[in-house]
Amino acid sequence: MAHKHGHGREQIQFANAEDKQEFSKFPTKAGRRSLSRSISQSSTDSYSSAASYTDSSDDETSPRDKAQVNSHGSTDFCVKNIKQAEFGRREIEIAEQDMSALISLRKRAQGEKPLAGAKIVGCTHITAQTAVLIETLVALGAQCRWTACNIYSTQNEVAAALAETGVPVFAWKGESEDDFWWCIDRCVNRDGWQANMILDDGGDLTHWVYKKYPSVFKKVRGIVEESVTGVHRLYQLSKAGKLCVPAMNVNDSVTKQKFDNLYCCRESILDGLKRTTDIMFGGKQVVVCGYGEVGKGCCTALKALGAIVCITEIDPICALQACMDGFRVVKLSEVIRQMDVVITCTGNKNVVSREHLDRMKNGCIVCNMGHSNTEIDVASLRSPELTWERVRSQVDHIIWPDGKRVIVLAEGRLLNLSCSTVPTFVLSITATTQALALIELYNAPEGRYKQDVYLLPKKMDEYVASLHLPNFDAHLTELSDEQAKYMGLNKNGPFKPNYYRY
């Protein structure tokens, strides 16, 4: 493995050093392959997510080959550069300002330490906001080891700050596929440390433990999963009778689904597109694939700026909602020639196929807001007749033989986390939900949860929401005894039946 790794980097340096001038002429297939890889690696850091102060071009050594130590003498981490910890700490402090619910959860539970003895292995986006969650879990008594669920979304300086405080973090921005699995492995496979809780985003960590370390599940009390893709994988395991621990589906809890998926995407879709392409939305023809919560959020924002939006849907209910909101529901193949922007948010694969890409008009922008990078068939674009040109960090122009260009953002990965930031406040809601799910599963009495996938109890959803209301100086009305009796409710909730849709 080490050998393979070294070889990959020699190739990159060779590409950088000698193929520069050849790049403007059309290089050979092999030359271009290694080149596009080298370019994407050296520019992943230059000016994307939030405030990355780092530009990796000044340091091409892989973090795996660097011996680093934090100020406490620990080497149990692997980040881009531990010296950036101070910058990262400031980023985390900024995030804390807008995540008061987690801070109040810390204060409230610091005495009783509901996670004392918990050993949590986590795989999420590593940003200032997740750092606030991780440090909250530590304050509640947990030991954590952490890795990234996306090769582009790590904020290097935040990973450094966490490693500096003693949380073993294995992640950096612009990992290769091989690095990605290596980091997950280093997180799980630690002598003398055995995880008893899993926090996952996308299911890759859970998948790796199943594949490589199934014995870990003997100790694990539960899995908390927050993405559509990961939850889907858990339900598949459950159906096949292979899920051997209880799992909490945070994605479909109300405080995730109706907030993160909807309001977060409503704000971050425009941010990601503007930062990468400076596009003007007024009058643009946009197609949004999927009208779930993410699709609804994206469409609200685009429509408000005067874009002409149409939707593709497989589900008649979501399609009817789109019609009622004033959007045309179409098939992608019918409209693809006219579109200026194509946005996927389905959680499915090959929604935008090579055939669609071939028929797009010159200058069409293609990006993904779904979790997984399978929605756009980017792999099909890495073929000899097409030229890739890295124009900016996370922006590639793919040039067809006739000179047509299609603009692909973040190589088809998650647009908002790869190219811009995500509003901190909405992540506070999701992170608080995750923290409570971990506390619930970790402390649940034997037998409350079987080997199945569960939703967070509604009482806890309501508690998460109530923790965020002080931010808005919002005052809840209380039921009188008579009103409560009339409604058949407990005064303190839950206020809605489980089937209520919000």
Side-chain angles (χ1 to χ4, degrees), residues 251-292:
N251 179 65
D252 293 298
S253 67
V254 182
T255 38
K256 163 77 167 68
Q257 185 74 290
K258 294 282 175 179
F259 292 85
D260 197 335
N261 298 23
L262 177 70
Y263 302 120
C264 169
C265 297
R266 184 174 78 182
E267 300 202 13
S268 57
I269 176 72
L270 301 179
D271 190 11
L273 283 165
K274 287 271 190 210
R275 286 192 203 203
T276 45
T277 63
D278 306 304
I279 182 180
M280 170 106 189
F281 291 102
K284 286 287 189 297
Q285 297 271 358
V286 181
V287 60
V288 174
C289 304
Y291 200 66

Side-chain angles (χ1 to χ4, degrees), residues 69-83:
V69 60
N70 70 10
S71 60
H72 310 289
S74 168
T75 55
D76 186 17
F77 64 89
C78 188
V79 298
K80 184 83 186 170
N81 184 355
I82 190 71
K83 295 191 186 76

Side-chain angles (χ1 to χ4, degrees), residues 106-269:
R106 276 182 209 182
K107 291 199 180 97
R108 205 168 289 202
Q110 219 146 15
E112 59 204 57
K113 297 260 188 275
L115 290 173
K119 292 181 173 167
I120 302 169
V121 58
C123 178
T124 62
H125 300 284
I126 297 182
T127 59
Q129 293 83 5
T130 345
V132 180
L133 168 63
I134 295 168
E135 294 188 339
T136 301
L137 299 176
V138 171
L140 300 182
Q143 289 178 25
C144 296
R145 294 178 72 80
W146 227 263
T147 183
C149 68
N150 179 302
I151 62 175
Y152 290 134
S153 64
T154 299
Q155 280 175 270
N156 283 331
E157 53 285 352
V158 170
L162 284 167
E164 174 54 43
T165 58
V167 177
V169 172
F170 298 86
W172 55 94
K173 192 177 180 73
E175 297 169 10
S176 68
E177 197 76 8
D178 180 48
D179 293 334
F180 174 78
W181 295 110
W182 179 85
C183 286
I184 288 182
D185 195 72
R186 284 292 299 271
C187 238
V188 181
N189 183 15
R190 165 84 176 144
D191 286 343
W193 195 91
Q194 170 100 47
N196 55 23
M197 293 296 296
I198 289 175
L199 178 63
D200 208 352
D201 180 346
D204 285 322
L205 171 63
T206 307
H207 168 76
W208 190 255
V209 175
Y210 263 100
K211 205 168 88 173
K212 293 280 296 269
Y213 308 105
S215 65
V216 167
F217 284 115
K218 292 194 180 78
K219 287 260 175 39
V220 169
R221 297 194 195 179
I223 299 167
V224 174
E225 169 58 60
E226 77 146 336
S227 83
V228 176
T229 315
V231 164
H232 178 62
R233 286 167 138 187
L234 287 172
Y235 282 120
Q236 283 178 326
L237 281 171
S238 172
K239 263 204 194 99
K242 287 184 182 157
L243 187 65
C244 42
V245 291
M248 196 69 88
N249 166 0
V250 166
N251 179 65
D252 293 298
S253 67
V254 182
T255 38
K256 163 77 167 68
Q257 185 74 290
K258 294 282 175 179
F259 292 85
D260 197 335
N261 298 23
L262 177 70
Y263 302 120
C264 169
C265 297
R266 184 174 78 182
E267 300 202 13
S268 57
I269 176 72

Side-chain angles (χ1 to χ4, degrees), residues 238-403:
S238 172
K239 263 204 194 99
K242 287 184 182 157
L243 187 65
C244 42
V245 291
M248 196 69 88
N249 166 0
V250 166
N251 179 65
D252 293 298
S253 67
V254 182
T255 38
K256 163 77 167 68
Q257 185 74 290
K258 294 282 175 179
F259 292 85
D260 197 335
N261 298 23
L262 177 70
Y263 302 120
C264 169
C265 297
R266 184 174 78 182
E267 300 202 13
S268 57
I269 176 72
L270 301 179
D271 190 11
L273 283 165
K274 287 271 190 210
R275 286 192 203 203
T276 45
T277 63
D278 306 304
I279 182 180
M280 170 106 189
F281 291 102
K284 286 287 189 297
Q285 297 271 358
V286 181
V287 60
V288 174
C289 304
Y291 200 66
E293 298 299 334
V294 174
K296 288 180 175 78
C298 292
C299 291
T300 311
L302 292 160
K303 185 180 186 179
L305 286 190
I308 302 156
V309 183
C310 54
I311 308 293
T312 71
E313 242 317 329
I314 55 165
D315 180 329
I317 297 174
C318 295
L320 187 58
Q321 284 181 310
C323 295
M324 290 294 176
D325 289 332
F327 299 110
R328 270 181 62 223
V329 177
V330 296
K331 286 186 168 166
L332 190 56
S333 52
E334 291 167 5
V335 297
I336 194 73
R337 282 187 192 286
Q338 291 89 52
M339 290 301 131
D340 298 304
V341 186
V342 179
I343 301 165
T344 55
C345 27
T346 63
N348 205 335
K349 66 188 259 192
N350 293 350
V351 178
V352 176
S353 67
R354 174 64 194 265
E355 192 191 339
H356 292 129
L357 290 153
D358 283 337
R359 292 178 55 216
M360 280 172 191
K361 70 178 185 191
N362 185 37
C364 182
I365 297 170
V366 192
C367 64
N368 168 37
M369 285 290 284
H371 172 84
S372 171
N373 61 330
T374 54
E375 305 211 11
I376 301 161
D377 186 6
V378 176
S380 71
L381 293 174
R382 301 205 183 271
S383 61
E385 77 280 10
L386 301 183
T387 311
W388 281 63
E389 212 173 83
R390 173 55 57 104
V391 183
R392 272 183 177 179
S393 169
Q394 308 291 10
V395 183
D396 288 298
H397 284 190
I398 288 84
I399 306 162
W400 266 251
D402 64 359

Side-chain angles (χ1 to χ4, degrees), residues 12-13 16 37-48 52-63 66 80-81 84 156-157 172-175 390 393:
I12 285 171
Q13 270 159 1
N16 267 348
R37 187 172 331 133
S38 70
I39 286 186
S40 63
Q41 283 197 335
S42 61
S43 62
T44 38
D45 278 356
S46 47
Y47 74 105
S48 59
S52 256
Y53 299 98
T54 50
D55 178 8
S56 66
S57 54
D58 55 359
D59 179 13
E60 281 303 331
T61 325
S62 162
K66 281 196 283 203
K80 184 83 186 170
N81 184 355
Q84 296 170 339
N156 283 331
E157 53 285 352
W172 55 94
K173 192 177 180 73
E175 297 169 10
R390 173 55 57 104
S393 169

